[in-house]
Amino acid sequence: MITLETAKATQFLPAGAVEALEGQVKTAQQALEDGSCPGNDYLGWLHLPSSITQEHLADLQACANTLRELCDTIVVAGIGGSYLGARAVIEALGNTFEWLANDGSNPVILFAGNNISEDYLAELQDYLKNRKFGIINISKSGTTTETALAFRLLRKQCEDQRGIETARKVIVAITDAKRGAARITADKEGYKSFIIPDNVGGRFSVLTPVGLLPIACAGFDITKLVQGAADMERASAPEVPFADNLVEQYAALRNALYQAGKKIEILANFQPKLHSMNEWWKQLYGESEGKNGKGIFPAAVDLTTDLHSMGQWIQDGERTIFETVISVAEARHTVLFPHDEENLDGLNFLEGRRVDSVNKMAELGTQLAHIDGGVPNVRIVIPRLDEHAIGQLIYFFERACGVSGLVLGVNPFDQPGVEDYKRNMFALLGKPGYEAQSEAIKARL
Ligand code: PA5
């Protein structure tokens, strides 16, 4: 199981500051359980891991097998909660150079529909020429501009390249059960489709088909992933005592640090494979907590890489930050520090040591330096980058996010602020129905 180390953060707080939040944390946990909290129509994620059926997993796996058989490349079209989780898991579990050095045993998984860049789309279309590609179109609303644009382009290209009949077999929709453009198109064209449950918001949807289908397509074991999440669901239940409950400890600690003026949480990893996990976590916490003029700002760094860019700020900048490090106990491969006859860099003293042991000393040295610099340090240790551990990590962060947001006093399950840019964009583009906003916004330019 993953573990949580908090002593190097609590040392920055008055004694008992975390324990003082136990009552609020348990109340938040209970409110999640009995559905009495704000946003209670979006609690479908809470018992998702323990309620996913073998039949559902088998259906997803069968669809993934078909796509894997018929496609050398699969494009996952989606934005925000409709792609970040899948990407985070695929990159954490995969080979860093898979897409460059693909040996054909797995399809190349690409992501689109998460920006409006003409260059990105043109270059993607160019790459897909002559490739046997399929599309997983993921959009709960079915009207998200970024995703809808990519799907229009890719669907046409897929039909042109592979023929309408094959395209119908290699395009899969993951969307609302009844509503939206993606649902209508899927039903009309006869695409295989999966439902995003009404009661699961985008950023909590990685354990629905939104995440599970792309992850299965990439060749990873979704049963083990879900099992890991279910194990964490059990370990973080409200009846588990506060002192032993990782989720409650993390949620209480974050709130105690925030109350003590630590307004920014930096999620750090020492494994580049976790870069997209940072991105998923930023959305989860940013969209859940950043409202009503409140909320910890979720930032993230990849270390040691960013010690050579953000390291100075973390060590010495404004002391409003704390750091949460995801530490992976066991590397997947073994590489030894090599000998160099000239030893001009003076590093022969490391000769024969595993690179991961050097990385671990970098991690420890960084932790101590940052503590000396006044940065509280939380450490989440995961045994290795495998499906079971990643499943645990996902559920740990999801549940802690729900609890944390409720203790903060916000509705962690809505995102009203996300609509503002869309309204302006549609007004500027002159979308029918936006005439009044169009006039008003143009007057401001
Ligand atoms: O978390 C969320 O709800 C958002 O990030 C959505 O997932 C994102 O905006 C995409 O929405 P949709 O799935 O409707 O295209």
Side-chain angles (χ1 to χ4, degrees):
M1 290 294 282
I2 71 175
T3 57
L4 179 73
E5 295 170 12
T6 59
K8 292 188 171 58
T10 51
Q11 72 183 63
F12 289 87
L13 293 167
V18 172
E19 291 71 18
L21 291 171
E22 176 176 351
Q24 285 183 61
V25 163
K26 286 290 182 193
T27 303
Q29 282 266 66
Q30 206 44 54
L32 289 174
E33 286 296 332
D34 60 28
S36 61
C37 59
N40 54 5
D41 38 355
Y42 285 100
L43 294 177
W45 57 273
L46 190 66
H47 294 301
L48 194 56
S50 59
S51 57
I52 294 177
T53 63
Q54 286 309 316
E55 291 70 35
H56 182 53
L57 290 175
D59 190 17
L60 285 162
Q61 191 61 58
C63 178
N65 292 346
T66 303
L67 288 175
R68 285 169 62 83
E69 198 180 306
L70 298 177
C71 305
D72 57 23
T73 306
I74 297 169
V75 187
V76 179
I79 192 167
S82 290
Y83 99 105
L84 283 164
R87 186 171 203 160
V89 176
I90 290 168
E91 289 182 9
L93 298 176
N95 181 320
T96 310
F97 302 101
E98 177 84 22
W99 64 282
L100 285 173
N102 186 276
D103 65 0
S105 54
N106 288 305
V108 175
I109 309 287
L110 300 174
F111 295 89
N114 54 59
N115 60 62
I116 318 181
S117 162
E118 194 163 341
D119 288 348
Y120 186 97
L121 289 165
E123 288 164 18
L124 175 65
Q125 287 191 292
D126 196 39
Y127 174 82
L128 292 172
K129 264 183 208 155
N130 307 319
R131 295 195 70 93
K132 293 193 320 190
F133 78 94
I135 308 166
I136 304 177
N137 184 36
I138 310 178
S139 180
K140 193 170 182 182
S141 62
T143 54
T144 301
T145 309
E146 291 86 342
T147 307
L149 165 65
F151 183 65
R152 282 186 181 207
L153 292 168
L154 295 174
R155 173 186 169 188
K156 168 94 176 52
Q157 185 173 356
C158 186
E159 289 173 353
D160 289 350
Q161 275 177 217
R162 308 200 65 182
I164 298 269
E165 281 318 306
T166 304
R168 286 188 176 131
K169 292 188 192 132
V170 297
I171 298 177
V172 177
I174 303 179
T175 186
D176 189 84
K178 299 194 189 80
R179 290 178 299 266
R183 167 55 53 204
I184 294 166
T185 308
D187 289 348
K188 185 167 144 272
E189 297 294 326
Y191 300 151
K192 172 78 179 161
S193 67
F194 292 93
I195 293 166
I196 308 176
D198 270 347
N199 60 356
V200 182
R203 59 189 175 276
F204 288 87
S205 70
V206 55
L207 298 173
T208 73
V210 169
L212 295 179
L213 182 65
I215 293 165
C217 284
F220 301 114
D221 188 333
I222 52 175
T223 302
K224 285 190 186 143
L225 186 82
V226 170
Q227 187 55 54
D231 288 346
M232 184 53 70
E233 183 187 327
R234 248 189 320 280
S236 60
E239 50 277 14
V240 176
F242 181 67
D244 303 328
N245 195 317
L246 265 57
V247 159
E248 295 181 3
Q249 288 288 320
Y250 180 56
L253 177 58
R254 298 177 76 252
N255 273 281
L257 289 164
Y258 183 64
Q259 287 166 15
K262 305 299 181 190
K263 307 289 187 194
I264 301 167
E265 178 175 10
I266 303 178
L267 189 73
N269 65 65
F270 283 78
Q271 291 290 347
K273 286 180 195 298
L274 289 173
H275 173 80
S276 288
M277 191 60 75
N278 285 356
E279 298 305 309
W280 171 78
W281 173 89
K282 282 191 326 201
Q283 188 211 4
L284 182 63
Y285 280 78
E287 263 188 14
S288 299
E289 293 191 324
K291 49 197 74 157
N292 308 343
K294 299 197 260 194
I296 296 172
F297 181 83
V301 288
D302 299 319
L303 304 181
T304 60
T305 313
D306 291 336
L307 290 174
H308 299 259
S309 64
M310 293 298 289
Q312 174 61 37
W313 199 100
I314 297 171
Q315 188 68 41
D316 251 353
E318 192 179 69
R319 301 298 71 188
T320 47
I321 58 173
F322 67 100
E323 191 171 44
T324 299
V325 177
I326 302 179
S327 181
V328 181
E330 214 182 281
R332 200 178 293 161
H333 304 283
T334 301
V335 176
L336 302 182
F337 215 102
H339 173 78
D340 185 86
E341 207 47 55
E342 290 183 299
N343 193 27
L344 294 176
D345 51 19
L347 292 175
N348 272 356
F349 75 101
L350 294 173
E351 182 185 336
R353 278 183 74 162
R354 281 191 65 179
V355 170
D356 192 55
S357 80
V358 178
N359 199 26
K360 291 288 187 299
M361 289 307 108
E363 187 183 322
L364 184 57
T366 304
Q367 182 194 52
L368 296 172
H370 288 179
I371 291 166
D372 290 344
V375 182
N377 184 283
V378 186
R379 198 158 170 264
I380 298 167
V381 182
I382 67 175
R384 64 196 70 79
L385 291 177
D386 65 11
E387 287 91 337
H388 188 258
I390 294 295
Q392 289 177 55
L393 189 68
I394 286 169
Y395 190 82
F396 167 80
F397 277 137
E398 286 183 350
R399 188 159 191 140
C401 182
V403 174
S404 235
L406 292 176
V407 172
L408 181 70
V410 299
N411 172 357
F413 309 115
D414 67 0
Q415 56 284 328
V418 178
E419 294 310 309
D420 292 7
Y421 98 90
K422 293 184 194 167
R423 211 171 24 248
N424 286 348
M425 178 177 75
F426 288 139
L428 288 164
L429 288 169
K431 184 175 179 177
Y434 283 74
E435 291 75 10
Q437 290 100 318
S438 222
E439 289 288 306
I441 204 162
K442 284 182 183 150
R444 284 173 57 191
L445 301 179

mmCIF file of all heavy atoms in Angstrom, residues 78-84 138-145 147 174 196 201-205 283 287 415 418-419 422, ligand 1:
data_model
loop_
_atom_site.group_PDB
_atom_site.id
_atom_site.type_symbol
_atom_site.label_atom_id
_atom_site.label_comp_id
_atom_site.label_asym_id
_atom_site.label_seq_id
_atom_site.Cartn_x
_atom_site.Cartn_y
_atom_site.Cartn_z
ATOM 1 N N GLY A 78 -10.379 14.504 -26.136
ATOM 2 C CA GLY A 78 -11.053 14.927 -24.908
ATOM 3 C C GLY A 78 -10.231 16.019 -24.253
ATOM 4 O O GLY A 78 -9.038 16.198 -24.564
ATOM 5 N N ILE A 79 -10.842 16.735 -23.339
ATOM 6 C CA ILE A 79 -10.140 17.830 -22.650
ATOM 7 C C ILE A 79 -10.485 17.791 -21.159
ATOM 8 O O ILE A 79 -11.547 17.279 -20.777
ATOM 9 C CB ILE A 79 -10.504 19.209 -23.269
ATOM 10 C CG1 ILE A 79 -9.567 20.326 -22.774
ATOM 11 C CG2 ILE A 79 -11.958 19.584 -23.011
ATOM 12 C CD1 ILE A 79 -9.677 21.631 -23.587
ATOM 13 N N GLY A 80 -9.606 18.343 -20.340
ATOM 14 C CA GLY A 80 -9.841 18.404 -18.893
ATOM 15 C C GLY A 80 -10.048 17.003 -18.333
ATOM 16 O O GLY A 80 -9.290 16.073 -18.605
ATOM 17 N N GLY A 81 -11.135 16.855 -17.586
ATOM 18 C CA GLY A 81 -11.433 15.569 -16.984
ATOM 19 C C GLY A 81 -11.677 14.482 -18.004
ATOM 20 O O GLY A 81 -11.670 13.291 -17.671
ATOM 21 N N SER A 82 -11.875 14.856 -19.251
ATOM 22 C CA SER A 82 -12.129 13.848 -20.282
ATOM 23 C C SER A 82 -10.850 13.364 -20.965
ATOM 24 O O SER A 82 -10.924 12.699 -21.999
ATOM 25 C CB SER A 82 -13.130 14.389 -21.312
ATOM 26 O OG SER A 82 -14.408 14.481 -20.718
ATOM 27 N N TYR A 83 -9.670 13.721 -20.410
ATOM 28 C CA TYR A 83 -8.440 13.118 -20.947
ATOM 29 C C TYR A 83 -7.278 13.059 -19.958
ATOM 30 O O TYR A 83 -6.420 12.181 -20.046
ATOM 31 C CB TYR A 83 -7.995 13.834 -22.226
ATOM 32 C CG TYR A 83 -6.893 14.865 -22.090
ATOM 33 C CD1 TYR A 83 -5.586 14.591 -22.505
ATOM 34 C CD2 TYR A 83 -7.160 16.115 -21.555
ATOM 35 C CE1 TYR A 83 -4.575 15.538 -22.396
ATOM 36 C CE2 TYR A 83 -6.153 17.070 -21.442
ATOM 37 C CZ TYR A 83 -4.859 16.772 -21.860
ATOM 38 O OH TYR A 83 -3.884 17.715 -21.744
ATOM 39 N N LEU A 84 -7.265 13.947 -18.947
ATOM 40 C CA LEU A 84 -6.059 14.041 -18.120
ATOM 41 C C LEU A 84 -5.766 12.751 -17.344
ATOM 42 O O LEU A 84 -4.607 12.360 -17.194
ATOM 43 C CB LEU A 84 -6.191 15.224 -17.152
ATOM 44 C CG LEU A 84 -5.949 16.591 -17.804
ATOM 45 C CD1 LEU A 84 -6.470 17.704 -16.899
ATOM 46 C CD2 LEU A 84 -4.472 16.805 -18.105
ATOM 47 N N ILE A 138 -14.249 11.443 -26.378
ATOM 48 C CA ILE A 138 -14.725 11.520 -24.995
ATOM 49 C C ILE A 138 -15.232 12.923 -24.678
ATOM 50 O O ILE A 138 -14.468 13.891 -24.656
ATOM 51 C CB ILE A 138 -13.606 11.166 -23.995
ATOM 52 C CG1 ILE A 138 -12.933 9.837 -24.395
ATOM 53 C CG2 ILE A 138 -14.177 11.085 -22.572
ATOM 54 C CD1 ILE A 138 -11.788 9.427 -23.499
ATOM 55 N N SER A 139 -16.524 13.040 -24.487
ATOM 56 C CA SER A 139 -17.085 14.332 -24.096
ATOM 57 C C SER A 139 -18.440 14.096 -23.451
ATOM 58 O O SER A 139 -19.340 13.550 -24.079
ATOM 59 C CB SER A 139 -17.226 15.248 -25.317
ATOM 60 O OG SER A 139 -17.778 16.488 -24.922
ATOM 61 N N LYS A 140 -18.536 14.505 -22.188
ATOM 62 C CA LYS A 140 -19.793 14.303 -21.488
ATOM 63 C C LYS A 140 -20.889 15.176 -22.115
ATOM 64 O O LYS A 140 -21.976 14.717 -22.411
ATOM 65 C CB LYS A 140 -19.606 14.645 -20.010
ATOM 66 C CG LYS A 140 -20.736 14.173 -19.142
ATOM 67 C CD LYS A 140 -20.370 14.337 -17.678
ATOM 68 C CE LYS A 140 -21.485 13.812 -16.808
ATOM 69 N NZ LYS A 140 -21.220 13.977 -15.392
ATOM 70 N N SER A 141 -20.529 16.454 -22.348
ATOM 71 C CA SER A 141 -21.524 17.373 -22.902
ATOM 72 C C SER A 141 -21.687 17.162 -24.403
ATOM 73 O O SER A 141 -22.759 17.387 -24.959
ATOM 74 C CB SER A 141 -21.088 18.821 -22.652
ATOM 75 O OG SER A 141 -19.862 19.063 -23.321
ATOM 76 N N GLY A 142 -20.613 16.760 -25.044
ATOM 77 C CA GLY A 142 -20.648 16.599 -26.499
ATOM 78 C C GLY A 142 -20.537 17.915 -27.243
ATOM 79 O O GLY A 142 -20.534 17.935 -28.472
ATOM 80 N N THR A 143 -20.414 19.021 -26.509
ATOM 81 C CA THR A 143 -20.379 20.332 -27.190
ATOM 82 C C THR A 143 -19.103 21.099 -26.889
ATOM 83 O O THR A 143 -18.995 22.269 -27.234
ATOM 84 C CB THR A 143 -21.574 21.201 -26.727
ATOM 85 O OG1 THR A 143 -21.551 21.256 -25.293
ATOM 86 C CG2 THR A 143 -22.897 20.646 -27.192
ATOM 87 N N THR A 144 -18.138 20.468 -26.258
ATOM 88 C CA THR A 144 -16.895 21.176 -25.925
ATOM 89 C C THR A 144 -16.134 21.485 -27.214
ATOM 90 O O THR A 144 -15.819 20.579 -27.997
ATOM 91 C CB THR A 144 -16.049 20.304 -24.967
ATOM 92 O OG1 THR A 144 -16.838 20.048 -23.801
ATOM 93 C CG2 THR A 144 -14.772 20.996 -24.562
ATOM 94 N N THR A 145 -15.841 22.778 -27.423
ATOM 95 C CA THR A 145 -15.302 23.235 -28.709
ATOM 96 C C THR A 145 -14.037 22.480 -29.103
ATOM 97 O O THR A 145 -13.905 22.011 -30.240
ATOM 98 C CB THR A 145 -14.982 24.750 -28.620
ATOM 99 O OG1 THR A 145 -16.133 25.406 -28.107
ATOM 100 C CG2 THR A 145 -14.604 25.318 -29.965
ATOM 101 N N THR A 147 -12.784 19.591 -28.256
ATOM 102 C CA THR A 147 -12.954 18.172 -28.583
ATOM 103 C C THR A 147 -13.803 17.997 -29.848
ATOM 104 O O THR A 147 -13.491 17.169 -30.716
ATOM 105 C CB THR A 147 -13.609 17.442 -27.392
ATOM 106 O OG1 THR A 147 -12.837 17.735 -26.222
ATOM 107 C CG2 THR A 147 -13.647 15.952 -27.596
ATOM 108 N N ILE A 174 -17.501 7.985 -25.802
ATOM 109 C CA ILE A 174 -17.729 7.905 -24.356
ATOM 110 C C ILE A 174 -18.396 9.219 -23.979
ATOM 111 O O ILE A 174 -17.783 10.295 -24.071
ATOM 112 C CB ILE A 174 -16.413 7.686 -23.585
ATOM 113 C CG1 ILE A 174 -15.730 6.416 -24.098
ATOM 114 C CG2 ILE A 174 -16.691 7.588 -22.082
ATOM 115 C CD1 ILE A 174 -14.411 6.099 -23.444
ATOM 116 N N ILE A 196 -20.756 8.010 -19.575
ATOM 117 C CA ILE A 196 -20.163 8.697 -18.420
ATOM 118 C C ILE A 196 -21.322 8.917 -17.450
ATOM 119 O O ILE A 196 -22.276 9.621 -17.778
ATOM 120 C CB ILE A 196 -19.545 10.064 -18.796
ATOM 121 C CG1 ILE A 196 -18.586 9.915 -19.981
ATOM 122 C CG2 ILE A 196 -18.842 10.671 -17.581
ATOM 123 C CD1 ILE A 196 -17.989 11.226 -20.485
ATOM 124 N N GLY A 201 -18.376 13.745 -12.051
ATOM 125 C CA GLY A 201 -17.849 14.907 -12.766
ATOM 126 C C GLY A 201 -16.580 14.537 -13.518
ATOM 127 O O GLY A 201 -15.916 13.552 -13.182
ATOM 128 N N GLY A 202 -16.226 15.340 -14.509
ATOM 129 C CA GLY A 202 -15.086 15.037 -15.376
ATOM 130 C C GLY A 202 -13.817 14.702 -14.610
ATOM 131 O O GLY A 202 -13.166 13.684 -14.870
ATOM 132 N N ARG A 203 -13.456 15.554 -13.653
ATOM 133 C CA ARG A 203 -12.154 15.363 -13.002
ATOM 134 C C ARG A 203 -12.128 14.170 -12.050
ATOM 135 O O ARG A 203 -11.069 13.788 -11.565
ATOM 136 C CB ARG A 203 -11.725 16.646 -12.290
ATOM 137 C CG ARG A 203 -12.671 17.145 -11.224
ATOM 138 C CD ARG A 203 -12.263 18.528 -10.734
ATOM 139 N NE ARG A 203 -13.215 19.092 -9.802
ATOM 140 C CZ ARG A 203 -14.320 19.750 -10.140
ATOM 141 N NH1 ARG A 203 -14.628 19.919 -11.423
ATOM 142 N NH2 ARG A 203 -15.109 20.259 -9.223
ATOM 143 N N PHE A 204 -13.291 13.590 -11.775
ATOM 144 C CA PHE A 204 -13.354 12.387 -10.934
ATOM 145 C C PHE A 204 -13.657 11.143 -11.777
ATOM 146 O O PHE A 204 -14.083 10.123 -11.243
ATOM 147 C CB PHE A 204 -14.453 12.551 -9.866
ATOM 148 C CG PHE A 204 -14.093 13.528 -8.767
ATOM 149 C CD1 PHE A 204 -14.335 14.883 -8.892
ATOM 150 C CD2 PHE A 204 -13.501 13.082 -7.587
ATOM 151 C CE1 PHE A 204 -14.002 15.781 -7.876
ATOM 152 C CE2 PHE A 204 -13.167 13.962 -6.566
ATOM 153 C CZ PHE A 204 -13.414 15.318 -6.709
ATOM 154 N N SER A 205 -13.451 11.248 -13.109
ATOM 155 C CA SER A 205 -13.989 10.194 -13.982
ATOM 156 C C SER A 205 -12.958 9.191 -14.502
ATOM 157 O O SER A 205 -13.284 8.365 -15.344
ATOM 158 C CB SER A 205 -14.721 10.834 -15.177
ATOM 159 O OG SER A 205 -13.780 11.452 -16.032
ATOM 160 N N GLN A 283 -5.654 19.688 -12.045
ATOM 161 C CA GLN A 283 -7.063 19.914 -12.385
ATOM 162 C C GLN A 283 -7.974 19.505 -11.237
ATOM 163 O O GLN A 283 -8.903 20.220 -10.865
ATOM 164 C CB GLN A 283 -7.485 19.139 -13.643
ATOM 165 C CG GLN A 283 -8.881 19.552 -14.086
ATOM 166 C CD GLN A 283 -9.705 18.489 -14.778
ATOM 167 O OE1 GLN A 283 -9.284 17.356 -14.900
ATOM 168 N NE2 GLN A 283 -10.877 18.865 -15.224
ATOM 169 N N GLU A 287 -9.744 22.792 -9.805
ATOM 170 C CA GLU A 287 -11.167 22.982 -10.118
ATOM 171 C C GLU A 287 -12.054 22.714 -8.912
ATOM 172 O O GLU A 287 -13.149 23.245 -8.802
ATOM 173 C CB GLU A 287 -11.584 22.055 -11.267
ATOM 174 C CG GLU A 287 -11.560 22.740 -12.611
ATOM 175 C CD GLU A 287 -12.145 21.889 -13.733
ATOM 176 O OE1 GLU A 287 -12.806 20.869 -13.517
ATOM 177 O OE2 GLU A 287 -11.907 22.288 -14.884
ATOM 178 N N GLN A 415 -17.779 23.617 -10.988
ATOM 179 C CA GLN A 415 -16.715 24.405 -11.608
ATOM 180 C C GLN A 415 -17.328 25.571 -12.369
ATOM 181 O O GLN A 415 -17.141 25.695 -13.575
ATOM 182 C CB GLN A 415 -15.798 23.556 -12.511
ATOM 183 C CG GLN A 415 -16.460 22.769 -13.640
ATOM 184 C CD GLN A 415 -17.181 21.541 -13.168
ATOM 185 O OE1 GLN A 415 -16.795 20.904 -12.201
ATOM 186 N NE2 GLN A 415 -18.272 21.218 -13.835
ATOM 187 N N VAL A 418 -15.335 27.846 -14.959
ATOM 188 C CA VAL A 418 -14.836 27.373 -16.261
ATOM 189 C C VAL A 418 -15.683 27.921 -17.411
ATOM 190 O O VAL A 418 -15.229 28.024 -18.548
ATOM 191 C CB VAL A 418 -14.804 25.818 -16.282
ATOM 192 C CG1 VAL A 418 -14.349 25.286 -17.624
ATOM 193 C CG2 VAL A 418 -13.883 25.294 -15.183
ATOM 194 N N GLU A 419 -16.929 28.299 -17.100
ATOM 195 C CA GLU A 419 -17.826 28.777 -18.164
ATOM 196 C C GLU A 419 -17.459 30.164 -18.688
ATOM 197 O O GLU A 419 -17.807 30.527 -19.806
ATOM 198 C CB GLU A 419 -19.274 28.805 -17.655
ATOM 199 C CG GLU A 419 -19.841 27.432 -17.346
ATOM 200 C CD GLU A 419 -19.637 26.449 -18.494
ATOM 201 O OE1 GLU A 419 -19.975 26.779 -19.638
ATOM 202 O OE2 GLU A 419 -19.111 25.344 -18.236
ATOM 203 N N LYS A 422 -15.572 30.484 -21.955
ATOM 204 C CA LYS A 422 -16.375 29.966 -23.080
ATOM 205 C C LYS A 422 -17.373 31.028 -23.528
ATOM 206 O O LYS A 422 -17.568 31.254 -24.720
ATOM 207 C CB LYS A 422 -17.139 28.709 -22.659
ATOM 208 C CG LYS A 422 -16.263 27.519 -22.362
ATOM 209 C CD LYS A 422 -17.132 26.304 -22.049
ATOM 210 C CE LYS A 422 -16.309 25.202 -21.413
ATOM 211 N NZ LYS A 422 -17.125 24.146 -20.826
HETATM 212 O O1 PA5 B 1 -13.827 18.351 -14.897
HETATM 213 C C1 PA5 B 1 -14.603 18.774 -15.729
HETATM 214 O O2 PA5 B 1 -15.831 18.701 -15.594
HETATM 215 C C2 PA5 B 1 -14.086 19.398 -17.006
HETATM 216 O O3 PA5 B 1 -12.698 19.408 -17.041
HETATM 217 C C3 PA5 B 1 -14.603 18.610 -18.211
HETATM 218 O O4 PA5 B 1 -14.185 17.286 -18.113
HETATM 219 C C4 PA5 B 1 -14.100 19.232 -19.502
HETATM 220 O O5 PA5 B 1 -14.495 20.569 -19.576
HETATM 221 C C5 PA5 B 1 -14.627 18.470 -20.702
HETATM 222 O O6 PA5 B 1 -16.015 18.483 -20.733
HETATM 223 P P1 PA5 B 1 -16.820 17.492 -21.667
HETATM 224 O O7 PA5 B 1 -16.532 16.109 -21.215
HETATM 225 O O8 PA5 B 1 -18.250 17.852 -21.483
HETATM 226 O O9 PA5 B 1 -16.354 17.717 -23.075
#
